[in-house]
Amino acid sequence: MPRHLKRTGQHLYVDGLHLLGICERLMKEAVLAGAPGGAGTPAAPYTMANAGDWVARWRASTREGMVYYKMAGRLISKNHKVYVGDVGPAYLQSTSILESSLKAFRSKYGRLPKLNLHFGYAVTSITVIRAALNVDNATWKALRIEQTGTPPPTWTASILSTHLIAMARTPGASSNDPNDYIDAKDRELLQEWATKNAINDPQYQVLAQRVADPGLIYAKSTDSVYGGTRPAPWSEIRHSPVIAKAVRSLMKGESPSLAAGPAGYDKDYARKQLLLPVMTMAIFHAEPARNPRAWPINLMILDLAESTTARFTWDAILWHPLAIPQSATTGAGHVLAVPLSGPRGPHAPLVPFVGPQPTQQEKTAQARAERAIVPITSTLKLHLVGGLIPASPTDGGRIGGRPLWAQNRFAATEPFDFIHQKEIDVLLQWLMQFPEIGTHWSVQDPPPHGATLVPAMQVLQRQVPADVATTTGLTRIAARLQTRIGTLDYMH
């Protein structure tokens, strides 16, 4: 992957890591006006419409517990670990996929699902619910739960979902899955609803699968997609700017469009909208909360996808194509014909520890060993590579979150790692799109012997003594980055 910019007609090079330093510094200095709507509750979820709204919300996320967002009619949850998930349609105003599915179940069948009273579940179910209700024997028998498994008609979906979750968390419970405490037939109906209407804990590999194959979104759509009436639709979508434009609309609080051409697309495309809001929140909320550089870098990815830049298709952005579908990374795996570069990973040989507990110095040495870039030779290791999005590799968000700045100084001792390289790859491709930059700089690696590297602090301060042209070039680069941070609009 490329790492350096070269001044046209000179042996003068700028390290991409120092350009990332400009990104990070500009993010720290950014003061954006933002006033997100809502209160972060299921009944009044947050809504965002501009860059200031987004930056304000993800900056606050690491200090918050569970909050909720509304996007294109979907309710998106964000927990204290900054994991996001699609809870279901926002009109249900639910706190979990379980509660949403219970509400939908009641609206369709006029009752809540029966509880599973088979031995093993009955003991836990009855004990927990009875304790939660704090009722005497007569009242308990009147509820008839013990005999029929039927929740009282006065119960709401919220009450039942709360009790089911409490059962699953009870020490010694029969299962840690609250759905297991529901009668088998009703459980199947609930899970069918959840499959069609919500996405819990989305992973980039799974999102990439859904981009590549709409049958993975809604199983029954496979018949219509591959039944001969038309070609598989997302083979066109992933190679076009349509998804990028739809994501940008979502970020602005507008209704997304997945139509392209005069005829548009049919109902199978609407299924795609189920994953777009949660994917947007993962990329532009969860990732910047862990690593502020992800905000401008991911917006650059959106620009590159919208301008149909080679390689920047949505399946490849999210995950490595050789690891799609998910079954490609299970079992014995396959040897890669051409090795890829990637981090050694957390299963690297341990740095020898002298004492029973590693010292901070030993921990640092181990972390650097894990982050070293090495050849990846098996599909089983592709999770360490991920897609074009820098945070997609396993643990990429945490690793990328290590700041390049410390005490107002560039951290020159910070080891260069795979996440830095992925960010630089995006940054350099994006910068080359602009004529005022691309005509004076080119991407060239490695710098030849005798080349001059602009010192880090001169890059970061955009001041190269006695070199007006290079100073002007760095100033123009910083200006583009500053604009990218402060707008959701397409830049090209």
Side-chain angles (χ1 to χ4, degrees):
M1 287 184 178
R3 176 170 172 176
H4 294 86
L5 282 186
K6 178 185 180 296
R7 279 285 297 171
T8 302
Q10 299 182 35
H11 290 291
L12 188 70
Y13 288 76
V14 171
D15 191 335
L17 185 64
H18 302 155
L19 296 178
L20 286 184
I22 294 179
C23 280
E24 187 171 305
R25 185 164 194 170
L26 290 174
M27 279 306 312
K28 288 190 176 196
E29 297 170 351
V31 179
L32 303 175
T41 64
Y46 287 122
T47 56
M48 289 91 75
N50 56 55
D53 292 346
W54 280 85
V55 173
R57 287 306 315 141
W58 61 251
R59 278 177 170 170
S61 276
T62 56
R63 304 186 302 273
E64 297 176 323
M66 184 73 78
V67 295
Y68 298 85
Y69 295 84
K70 181 180 178 181
M71 187 176 292
R74 309 299 303 177
L75 194 67
I76 310 296
S77 64
K78 189 282 313 177
N79 67 16
H80 69 287
K81 293 183 178 180
V82 200
Y83 292 150
V84 297
D86 183 305
V87 176
Y91 73 87
L92 293 174
Q93 298 183 9
S94 305
T95 60
S96 66
I97 291 177
L98 175 61
E99 185 181 341
S100 291
S101 60
L102 290 172
K103 285 185 175 182
F105 187 99
R106 177 165 231 167
S107 68
K108 184 173 182 179
Y109 299 105
R111 63 176 177 85
L112 290 174
K114 291 183 178 181
L115 298 179
N116 183 349
L117 296 185
H118 295 300
F119 180 77
Y121 292 104
V123 175
T124 304
S125 304
I126 293 170
T127 302
V128 173
I129 292 180
R130 188 171 182 178
L133 293 175
N134 192 25
V135 296
D136 56 29
N137 285 336
T139 305
W140 174 252
K141 289 180 180 179
L143 291 176
R144 299 179 63 244
I145 297 177
E146 189 168 355
Q147 292 82 14
T148 66
T150 305
T154 55
W155 276 20
T156 64
S158 177
I159 290 174
L160 182 56
S161 67
T162 300
H163 290 331
L164 291 170
I165 292 171
M167 292 177 209
R169 292 176 176 172
T170 300
S174 301
S175 174
N176 59 7
D177 181 356
N179 286 289
D180 285 343
Y181 295 93
I182 298 173
D183 180 76
K185 291 183 179 179
D186 286 351
R187 182 169 70 248
E188 184 177 340
L189 296 173
L190 289 170
Q191 291 173 336
E192 182 180 357
W193 182 94
T195 299
K196 296 178 185 178
N197 292 282
I199 301 176
N200 191 26
D201 191 21
Q203 299 173 343
Y204 286 121
Q205 186 181 27
V206 175
L207 290 174
Q209 284 184 249
R210 291 175 178 234
V211 166
D213 187 350
L216 294 171
I217 303 168
Y218 180 47
K220 293 181 181 178
S221 73
T222 301
D223 297 335
S224 62
V225 171
Y226 301 111
T229 58
R230 57 180 176 78
W234 293 106
S235 60
E236 303 124 27
I237 284 287
R238 67 188 179 92
H239 288 291
S240 76
V242 174
I243 288 184
K245 290 179 179 178
V247 168
R248 209 180 297 278
S249 294
L250 288 173
M251 296 181 74
K252 294 181 178 182
E254 302 167 352
S255 298
S257 172
L258 291 175
Y265 293 102
D266 66 10
K267 65 180 182 180
D268 288 300
Y269 286 95
R271 304 289 180 192
K272 192 66 174 185
Q273 295 186 35
L274 172 61
L275 77 84
L276 284 181
V278 72
M279 183 183 83
T280 301
M281 286 294 293
I283 294 173
F284 294 101
H285 183 289
E287 300 305 350
R290 300 182 180 99
N291 172 11
R293 293 191 307 275
W295 174 252
I297 294 296
N298 290 347
L299 285 171
M300 292 174 202
I301 288 175
L302 201 61
D303 292 337
L304 292 168
E306 191 162 342
S307 61
T308 61
T309 305
R311 296 193 302 128
F312 281 81
T313 60
W314 278 95
D315 49 349
I317 286 171
L318 296 169
W319 206 247
H320 196 281
L322 292 177
I324 306 171
Q326 200 169 16
S327 59
T329 55
T330 59
H334 305 285
V335 176
L336 297 176
V338 179
L340 302 170
S341 293
R344 184 180 284 113
H347 300 297
L350 294 177
V351 174
F353 297 149
V354 176
Q357 295 295 327
T359 64
Q360 186 57 50
Q361 186 176 12
E362 289 171 337
K363 288 180 180 179
T364 301
Q366 171 65 14
R368 291 186 177 183
E370 293 174 356
R371 296 166 66 182
I373 300 175
V374 298
I376 301 295
T377 59
S378 169
T379 56
L380 297 182
K381 294 281 188 178
L382 285 175
H383 66 95
L384 297 171
V385 177
L388 299 176
I389 189 168
S392 59
T394 297
D395 218 15
R398 180 187 66 83
I399 293 172
R402 294 176 66 105
L404 294 173
W405 284 90
Q407 298 178 345
N408 204 33
R409 291 178 59 84
F410 188 71
T413 57
E414 180 68 21
F416 183 82
D417 63 33
F418 190 59
I419 302 303
H420 296 142
Q421 182 60 78
K422 291 173 81 75
E423 292 175 337
I424 292 169
D425 184 39
V426 173
L427 173 60
L428 297 187
Q429 287 203 57
W430 184 80
L431 287 174
M432 289 298 100
Q433 293 190 119
F434 304 105
E436 77 272 23
I437 299 170
T439 55
H440 301 288
W441 300 87
S442 61
V443 179
Q444 290 194 23
D445 278 284
H449 179 72
T452 300
L453 284 171
V454 180
M457 292 310 296
Q458 291 183 13
V459 175
L460 296 163
Q461 294 168 356
R462 284 89 77 189
Q463 288 290 334
V464 183
D467 190 340
V468 176
T470 301
T471 296
T472 300
L474 292 173
T475 301
R476 287 173 175 169
I477 288 173
R480 284 291 184 177
L481 294 176
Q482 195 162 34
T483 303
R484 181 63 286 167
I485 287 168
T487 182
L488 300 179
D489 294 337
Y490 174 44
M491 290 182 63
H492 59 97

